[in-house]
Amino acid sequence: MNKTPFEESYNSDDELLAEYHFDYKKAKSNRFAAKSRKQLLKVVVLDEDVAQVFTTPESVNKVLRALIESMPQVTDGDTA
C-alpha cells in the first residue's frame, strides 16, 4: 500500500517561513470567484477622533446619507 502524506515523516525543511514576498504584478484574477452584481464593500479608515464618535457602520452611513441629501445636486454639465 502507498504511503499517504499523513504517514510521511516530519521534515523540518517544510516549515512555513516567517514572511513571504508576493509579486502582485504577476497575480491573476480568481476565475472561480462569483461575478455577481452584489454591492461591493469599501473599507475606509477613520481618524481616531471620528471613530470615537461614530462607533458603528450604521452611524457613519446615516450621517453620510444625510450629508449627501443636503448637498446641492450636480448635473452632468456641472463640475464639483
Side-chain angles (χ1 to χ4, degrees):
M1 182 186 274
N2 292 339
K3 282 187 171 183
T4 63
F6 299 109
E7 295 172 350
E8 293 177 7
S9 63
Y10 175 76
N11 185 354
S12 63
D13 294 336
D14 290 339
E15 288 189 29
L16 295 175
L17 297 177
E19 183 177 338
Y20 290 89
H21 297 285
F22 185 74
D23 186 2
Y24 289 96
K25 294 176 185 173
K26 296 180 181 178
K28 296 180 181 178
S29 61
N30 184 351
R31 62 186 175 138
F32 300 107
K35 294 184 179 181
S36 65
R37 295 184 182 195
K38 291 182 180 180
Q39 180 181 6
L40 296 177
L41 297 178
K42 303 285 185 194
V43 176
V44 177
V45 178
L46 302 176
D47 289 337
E48 184 64 33
D49 57 334
V50 177
Q52 289 176 355
V53 176
F54 301 103
T55 57
T56 65
E58 293 81 16
S59 64
V60 174
N61 288 332
K62 183 178 178 182
V63 170
L64 289 175
R65 286 186 180 108
L67 178 63
I68 290 169
E69 286 186 20
S70 69
M71 294 170 52
Q73 297 297 318
V74 178
T75 60
D76 291 339
D78 296 338
T79 58

